[in-house]
Amino acid sequence: MSPETLSKRTLLFVNAAHALDHFVLLIYPTAVIAIAAQTSLSYAELIGLATGAFVAFGLCSLPMGWLSDKFGRRNMLAVFFIGYGLSCLGVASADRPAAFAGWLLVLGVASAIYHPVGSTMLVSHARQLGRDLGVNAVWGNLGAASAAGVTALIAANFGWRFAFILPGLVCLVLGVAFIALVPGDGNPAANHSGKAELIPVNRPKALLAIFAVAVIAGGMTFNITTIALPKVIDERLGLDLPLALIGSLATLVFVFGAATQWLMGRLVDRYTLPALFVGLALFQPLGLALAATTSGAPLLIGLVMTMAAIYGQVVVNDAMVARYVPAQHRAKAFSVRYFLGFTVSGFVVPMLAVLHAQGGFGLVLAGATVFGLIIWCASLAFFFLAQKAPVASTATAEQ
């Protein structure tokens, strides 16, 4: 197989895996509305059962980069497809709280494979870094966007168990196809990803600390909004809507995030990353504050602003890892990035349950606004420190 063909196939499966990663992880937050209607458990009790999944999503991402270096990225992505499919079928078979919690934990471990492994594969096989990052991010966002709508539609017509069974079967089929069509990792030196230049900095430790703060706070706003979105629309829109329509509105909000990711992919190749970081980060606290204090149409506008900023930031953050970290360290860097962002944000689930019980989603969104302000402050600090880097010493990334 030619390197060109291998890269094209790899990118196609990596994009599909990104869509599934976010789709499957967000089935439960919508399905839980239907599950609550069929059981004696409340929304707060049921959503709390997903804590293990979202903590594992981040916690287990740390060793995945190391495992991919040892066993191969292609092999680890195959484990992702098969493991995700089996865990979906496991959740569908659950009928007690302990079973839900256990299978959701397994699902979270499987979901942790994609980001450190898939992101590294993407950068290695990319032909144009910003463009390919943007396209990949859109796939992930469309997975998240369609999760609420598709889950609500399936649950309303066939029951919540089929909302897990059907995606599980898709994962298994794609896993078999991936194993058959992608024989190995390939030779990164054979593609054109070397066009991405490594950006030197004067204060790498300071920039790393600031970036870590932004990643952690960003993980909080990411999980709060993506997990709570269907229920926020259900409670605060001011209309008595059926589940399927609630899911469709949530999907529409996510679509704006996908459009922003496509745009950011183009801008990454044209403008400096610190400048994009500052401009985009400002929309998070503005959108969250608007959503926290309004209802109806203004609420939807605030959610659209927030989702656009959050998902656009994913592209910028991945580009920053690709441009500031040497090629030989990228797998580990992506592992640490997602470990920081997703492990801490995994505790959003119990926090969301407590805040919702005490003050509804007004209090939940107000808390998210605080994290949005932290991200924007971190972006300003990163911008001013990054300006001190000597432009003349820019070197090409070693592939």
Side-chain angles (χ1 to χ4, degrees):
M1 182 183 298
S2 69
E4 181 77 20
T5 300
L6 179 62
S7 289
K8 287 182 178 180
R9 289 186 182 181
T10 299
L11 290 175
L12 180 61
F13 279 102
V14 165
N15 288 338
H18 196 194
L20 284 170
D21 193 42
H22 289 290
F23 180 96
V24 171
L25 199 62
L26 291 176
I27 293 174
Y28 187 75
T30 299
V32 74
I33 300 175
I35 298 171
Q38 298 178 16
T39 66
S40 59
L41 298 174
S42 67
Y43 172 82
E45 291 172 315
L46 284 168
I47 200 66
L49 297 176
T51 300
F54 288 97
V55 171
F57 184 41
L59 186 64
C60 294
S61 66
L62 186 60
M64 295 305 175
W66 279 267
L67 289 174
S68 68
D69 287 338
K70 183 175 182 179
F71 297 106
R73 292 164 194 155
R74 176 260 191 184
N75 294 335
M76 290 299 296
L77 198 63
V79 172
F80 163 81
F81 281 118
I82 302 301
Y84 228 18
L86 294 177
S87 60
C88 278
L89 299 182
V91 176
S93 69
D95 56 5
R96 300 190 311 273
F100 277 114
W103 278 113
L104 287 169
L105 175 61
V106 175
L107 186 146
V109 173
S111 71
I113 297 173
Y114 172 75
H115 282 93
V117 175
S119 297
T120 307
M121 294 176 73
L122 171 67
V123 172
S124 296
H125 288 274
R127 284 328 198 232
Q128 189 174 338
L129 182 64
R131 180 200 65 190
D132 290 339
L133 281 172
V135 170
N136 176 260
V138 168
W139 277 70
N141 185 273
L142 290 178
S146 59
V150 172
T151 298
L153 185 64
I154 296 175
N157 289 279
F158 305 103
W160 68 264
R161 296 185 191 277
F162 276 91
F164 285 96
I165 291 173
L166 295 180
L169 294 177
V170 170
C171 289
L172 292 175
V173 170
L174 282 177
V176 172
F178 176 69
I179 293 170
L181 296 176
V182 180
D185 290 338
N187 180 14
N191 61 46
H192 305 292
S193 60
K195 289 183 178 180
E197 293 182 336
L198 186 68
I199 301 175
V201 292
N202 281 336
R203 301 180 181 178
K205 291 183 179 179
L207 287 174
L208 179 61
I210 293 169
F211 185 65
V213 170
V215 166
I216 292 171
M220 297 298 287
T221 58
F222 180 95
N223 266 14
I224 289 173
T225 51
T226 54
I227 295 172
L229 185 62
K231 192 63 175 177
V232 169
I233 293 175
D234 182 31
E235 286 192 7
R236 293 176 60 86
L237 190 59
L239 300 173
D240 186 14
L241 301 176
L243 178 59
L245 189 52
I246 292 171
S248 298
L249 284 174
T251 294
L252 182 62
V253 173
F254 277 115
V255 166
F256 283 94
T260 306
Q261 289 183 317
W262 180 87
L263 175 63
M264 295 310 297
R266 269 50 183 180
L267 295 180
V268 159
D269 291 325
R270 299 181 182 182
Y271 300 98
T272 65
L273 292 172
L276 292 175
F277 190 8
V278 172
L280 193 61
L282 179 60
F283 286 93
Q284 286 203 44
L286 291 179
L288 286 165
L290 180 61
T293 56
T294 60
S295 61
L299 167 72
L300 287 178
I301 293 173
L303 291 174
V304 166
M305 289 175 59
T306 301
M307 205 58 62
I310 287 174
Y311 278 92
Q313 191 64 56
V314 172
V315 178
V316 174
N317 286 351
D318 283 349
M320 291 170 86
V321 173
R323 296 294 305 279
Y324 286 96
V325 178
Q328 63 269 26
H329 300 304
R330 281 182 192 148
K332 297 179 180 66
F334 276 117
S335 293
V336 173
R337 167 195 167 358
Y338 288 107
F339 168 76
L340 291 174
F342 292 145
T343 299
V344 176
S345 65
F347 294 99
V348 158
V349 177
M351 183 187 77
L352 192 157
V354 171
L355 292 179
H356 180 265
Q358 293 183 349
F361 280 112
L363 184 59
V364 170
L365 293 171
T369 303
V370 174
F371 290 110
L373 286 170
I374 292 173
I375 297 167
W376 186 59
C377 291
S379 72
L380 286 174
F382 193 99
F383 177 84
F384 288 114
L385 279 177
Q387 300 311 305
K388 298 181 182 296
V391 177
S393 62
T394 301
T396 302
E398 180 182 342
Q399 296 296 324

